[in-house]
Amino acid sequence: MKSLITLLIIMFLISCSNNKQDKKDNQGSAFNSSTVYYNGDIITMEGNEPAYVEAIAVMDGKIAFVGSKEEAMKAAGKDYSMVDLKGQTLVPGFVDGHIHFHGLGAQAVTAHLLAEPDGNCNDMATLITVLKDWYAKNGTDKTDGWVVGMGFDDVALKENRFPTRVDLDQVSKDKPVMAVHISGHFAVVNSKGLEVLGINSNTQNPEGGVIRREKDGKTPNGVLEELAAIPHIIKIISPTDREISDYYMDKGQEMAVSYGYTTAQEGRAMTFHEQLADYAKRGKLKIDVPAYVDYMFPQYIRSDWYGKVYKNHYRVAGMKLTLDGSAPGRTAWRTVPYLIPPEGQKKGYKGYPAIPDDEKVKQIIDTAFANNWQLLVHCNGDAAADQLFRALAPAVAKYGNNDRRTVLVHGQLIRMNQLDSMKKYDVVASLFPMHTFYWGDWYDKIIGTDKAQQISPIKSALNRGLHVTSHTDAPIAYPNLMMILWTTVNRVSRTGKVMGVEERLTPYEALQSITIWGAWQHFEEDRKGSLKEGKIADLVILDQNPLKIDPMKLRDIKVMETIKDGEIIYKYKKQ
């Protein structure tokens, strides 16, 4: 009997020992409250030079220790998991300087019209086929009765032109069809689409937008620019039915976490703020989403969602103001003419403002300053930047400018001397070096070689002491932050031409621009953006170290895991 009891006790102790070992060997599951990551390149992003540590300990969603493996294990307490990185790289979770989180759903759900290397729509025939195939497979139940595709690029199409209603009539004559341009600033609709939208020969151009016409100067050809397009795009890709809306946001969120996002800005919230808030309220957000509400909807900024504290991973962070359009689409507002005007425009065309009235812009910025709302300003052309500075001057004089972190978004065609104005008004430069790859060769043609070398002058901005970030502006292209690293570091066009060698960032600076600098832009540097004791355990595991590989291979890096508040929310699965 005693022998049996002794045997049972021994078996129990062995079982306990094995269970404890199982816990220590698991890969950060929710079984344990603490996790120690080790045996990889752990980059803290603390300081102006790369700093590595042997291990970090995560406890209850926070970083408990950063340093040696031995001390990390002590800091993790009695019950913890050991995660062997196996030589992979651990960095803070990614914080994009500018992205449209809500739009990711439409990018994931609708037809993919991107050209190479992101898609295969390199000619008009393929674009039409992709839309037809998508319609045959998906129908229109989830797109408000429309056949919708996103991301076509007239510059990358073999025909070097926009599709027209005639082209899209080949997709369907009975269903309305919409193809959204890669910039998000244009849409093309078929004949049925024009009918549904109520656009005909008698329809006038809206302020800040253009309805392109046939040769008779009256009949719409299907191409809609800026504010003739954007309200319709938003309505069609923002389903109000909760089930369908959830489907879009689920798919968009899946895409975001697969690219390492732990914070994904909503860069221009409109009425769909209500959908985002409802989605958050029901606990469906896995990552943090700070939303910047279009100036036309101040009631959302004045809501309970406004502030620096997230509620269920969502908050309204400030106001968005758009002053002009797309640089490659040539609706960005310049002080000098484009060398090649777009279809329907004459020589001397300089683009145009979204808000022609300077006084209205001043009133909008005055409202933001008076309420201490952080302001994001979409501004591509130098004339738009001049308008911004004219409006900032009286607001700064009236209210002061202490740590407002006003952000100029994109800045493709700003002049070098305007960087000094940005420094004067303490404006963050969230620039867009991704354009160097997608449209660098096109800029050579439309603004000239010398000016093309200066697009998104991010290094010059940094050298002048500006705070800078880089961004994807997804769903413009995929929200691939490794592509952002690649373009920010290399600045190489589709044809292999270097677009402004002096504007290249180092790999470490480029990584800062989507981690600690991105967190700073959002007033979150005290809890995100670097691996430091006490900060939130927002982490990304990469298969390679972006600071050690050939810079031309940066875009090949894979996100292996995304970790939010200490919990794994994405794991790479080999296809």
Side-chain angles (χ1 to χ4, degrees), residues 225-260:
E225 298 183 6
E226 299 298 337
L227 292 182
I230 292 171
H232 300 305
I233 296 171
I234 291 172
K235 182 178 182 300
I236 291 166
I237 67 172
S238 304
T240 55
D241 177 87
R242 180 187 267 188
E243 183 178 346
I244 298 175
S245 175
D246 280 359
Y247 176 74
Y248 272 60
M249 284 193 274
D250 288 348
K251 292 298 182 183
Q253 184 164 233
E254 288 171 14
M255 181 180 286
V257 300
S258 74
Y259 287 111

Side-chain angles (χ1 to χ4, degrees), residues 91-102:
V91 296
F94 294 142
V95 185
D96 196 333
H98 184 65
I99 183 175
H100 299 270
F101 174 78
H102 187 265

Side-chain angles (χ1 to χ4, degrees), residues 175-359:
K175 288 282 186 180
V177 180
M178 174 179 284
V180 180
H181 189 256
I182 187 170
S183 69
H185 287 253
F186 305 81
V188 184
V189 297
N190 66 344
S191 299
K192 185 66 175 180
L194 289 171
E195 178 188 327
V196 170
L197 297 179
I199 297 173
N200 54 47
S201 298
N202 297 319
T203 307
Q204 300 297 308
N205 290 337
E207 182 178 274
V210 170
I211 300 168
R212 291 189 186 176
R213 314 281 174 167
E214 304 282 5
K215 290 182 179 180
D216 63 8
K218 294 181 179 180
T219 307
N221 73 355
V223 180
L224 309 175
E225 298 183 6
E226 299 298 337
L227 292 182
I230 292 171
H232 300 305
I233 296 171
I234 291 172
K235 182 178 182 300
I236 291 166
I237 67 172
S238 304
T240 55
D241 177 87
R242 180 187 267 188
E243 183 178 346
I244 298 175
S245 175
D246 280 359
Y247 176 74
Y248 272 60
M249 284 193 274
D250 288 348
K251 292 298 182 183
Q253 184 164 233
E254 288 171 14
M255 181 180 286
V257 300
S258 74
Y259 287 111
Y261 283 85
T262 52
T263 300
Q265 178 191 106
E266 170 42 57
R268 193 183 185 183
M270 296 191 183
T271 54
F272 57 79
H273 152 76
E274 296 176 0
Q275 295 164 262
L276 284 166
D278 179 64
Y279 192 74
K281 194 180 297 182
R282 289 181 286 123
K284 294 182 71 65
L285 275 176
K286 297 178 181 179
I287 61 177
D288 291 339
V289 178
Y292 291 82
V293 175
D294 188 277
Y295 76 92
M296 292 187 289
F297 302 91
Q299 68 271 26
Y300 297 143
I301 313 178
R302 300 181 192 279
S303 74
D304 291 340
W305 290 97
Y306 173 73
K308 291 186 172 66
V309 177
Y310 289 97
K311 299 176 182 178
N312 287 3
H313 295 298
Y314 184 66
R315 69 184 178 97
V316 171
M319 176 186 281
K320 174 68 178 291
L321 172 62
T322 300
L323 294 182
D324 67 345
S326 159
R330 290 165 290 175
T331 52
W333 186 24
R334 306 184 71 204
T335 58
V336 295
Y338 288 92
L339 300 180
I340 304 173
E343 181 183 346
Q345 299 293 342
K346 298 178 181 178
K347 185 177 180 179
Y349 167 86
K350 301 177 183 179
Y352 50 87
I355 306 173
D357 185 356
D358 266 19
E359 290 306 311

Side-chain angles (χ1 to χ4, degrees), residues 21 73 83 100 172 224 412 424 462:
Q21 187 61 44
M73 292 168 69
V83 175
H100 299 270
S172 177
L224 309 175
Q412 293 302 301
K424 176 182 177 181
L462 190 61

